[in-house]
Every structure is written in structure tokens, then in C-alpha cells.
Amino acid sequence: LFIGASRRGDSLGGPILEALVRDTPCHLAVVKAGPGSQPYRSVLVPFDGGVFARVAVEFAVRYCEATGAELTIALLIERMPQAARLASEDAAPVVDELGPPEAELERVSRIFRAVELRPTILRLTYDPQSDAVNDEASSDRYDLVVIGAENRAIRHRLFFGYSSERLLNNDKVAVAIIVPKVARLDPA
């Protein structure tokens, strides 16, 4: 199910969207429009190794196949907080120029066995002092950011996590939040 979402102050949507996220019996995509018009030609997907990020990657792959858009997967590399503090502030994200190895794509998702699309891999280092994904999304290189989220965080309003909330507040890019129905996910 796809649904557009409007902003209400610092939050996304309202009680109707909240009820849909909580009660929809299938996967749900919530799209917050960006400054440009569709079709989106350059898609960024942050990947932290979790199941919700994998679902977001798989959605983005299918979107890119259907539209011919370019796909970039931002692998979030975690390191010790002490190392992040010592890192150079000018450190740029690392991009694989030769393309990702097949084994790396296999770790992201098995979907890459079945498609010809090969994404650009961008390695972003986790730094508790900044938000590398939001910074990359603000770079004007992407039209759309696709993120995965789980729906268990819903209490009195929609909340998709701190990093996701920063992206939703980013007016430079459209954001699609993929909220999978956990019971319908392939366990592998």
C-alpha cells in the first residue's frame, strides 16, 4: 500500500496515517514529497544490516528497475566512538568506483541474484556527533531516499527513529518510508 503524507509541524501525518501504519495488513510505503517532481532519477538507501533496511533496499531496486533510476546504497559502517572523535572532520564518504563485489551485494539482499541492476556502494562511517546519511541526502545528488522502519514505535504519534526523523525534516529530498508487515517477511 502506498500513501502520501503531509507534515504537521515537526511530525509526519496525523491520526489516519498513524492508524494505517499500525493496522495495515500488508507492507506500507509512506512518501513525503521533496522539492522536485517525479520521476525520481537518483535513489539513496541507507543500509545498516537490519531486516527493515533490507526491505527498503529491495523496494528501491524494484523502483529503479521500473524507472531506470540510479541506485546508491549507503552502507553504514560502525566504529568505536573514540575513533569517530579522532577522525578528520574533512573525511569524505568512500565510494566504490569499480562496483560492489557480488558477495557484498549478497549480504545486503538476495534480490541481487535475480536482477541485473548493480548499485553504487557508498560507505558512511557512523559518527555520534553528526548524521552522515542526512548530510549525504542533502548533497543534491539524490531525488529520493528510501528507508525501512518498523511500526512498533507508535504510541501517541508516528515516530520512525531519530535518523529517520531527521530525514523527514530534510526539505531537500523526497523520502519513502517502507514499513513492512513483519508477519509477511521472508525469514531469509
Side-chain angles (χ1 to χ4, degrees):
L1 178 63
F2 286 82
I3 188 164
S6 58
R7 301 273 315 251
R8 292 180 158 191
D10 287 338
S11 65
L12 180 72
I16 294 171
L17 181 58
E18 183 178 329
L20 277 171
V21 170
R22 183 180 55 243
D23 300 330
T24 298
C26 58
H27 303 322
L28 175 68
V30 181
V31 181
K32 179 212 72 152
S37 61
Q38 299 173 353
Y40 304 116
R41 306 306 307 157
S42 184
V43 179
L44 174 68
V45 183
F47 183 77
D48 63 2
V51 67
F52 301 102
R54 177 179 55 87
V55 172
V57 166
E58 292 170 358
F59 169 84
V61 165
R62 295 302 186 193
Y63 175 84
C64 290
E65 276 187 319
T67 64
E70 294 180 9
L71 176 62
T72 299
I73 298 174
L75 296 180
L76 303 177
I77 310 299
E78 194 161 338
R79 61 181 177 184
M80 295 173 28
Q82 299 86 351
R85 202 173 332 115
L86 298 173
S88 165
E89 292 181 12
D90 298 328
V94 177
V95 178
D96 275 346
E97 296 295 331
L98 301 175
E102 292 301 314
E104 188 169 40
L105 289 178
E106 178 83 17
R107 281 191 299 273
V108 171
S109 172
R110 292 186 306 180
I111 196 170
F112 293 107
R113 290 181 187 173
V115 299
E116 293 182 22
L117 178 81
R118 290 299 175 257
T120 299
I121 296 293
L122 176 69
R123 289 177 176 75
L124 298 177
T125 304
Y126 170 75
D127 180 349
Q129 306 299 318
S130 68
D131 188 347
V133 172
N134 196 32
D135 294 345
E136 188 64 24
S138 297
S139 70
D140 293 327
R141 289 189 285 268
Y142 310 99
D143 311 301
L144 175 66
V145 177
V146 179
I147 54 178
E150 57 185 310
N151 66 359
R152 69 178 175 85
I154 297 171
R155 297 291 179 258
H156 301 291
R157 72 172 194 91
L158 292 177
F159 179 74
F160 297 105
Y162 292 109
S163 293
S164 298
E165 293 287 317
R166 280 189 218 107
L167 282 167
L168 289 171
N169 288 326
N170 187 336
D171 292 329
K172 290 189 167 196
V173 67
V175 178
I177 303 170
I178 310 303
V179 184
K181 184 70 173 181
V182 176
R184 297 185 65 150
L185 291 176
D186 178 9

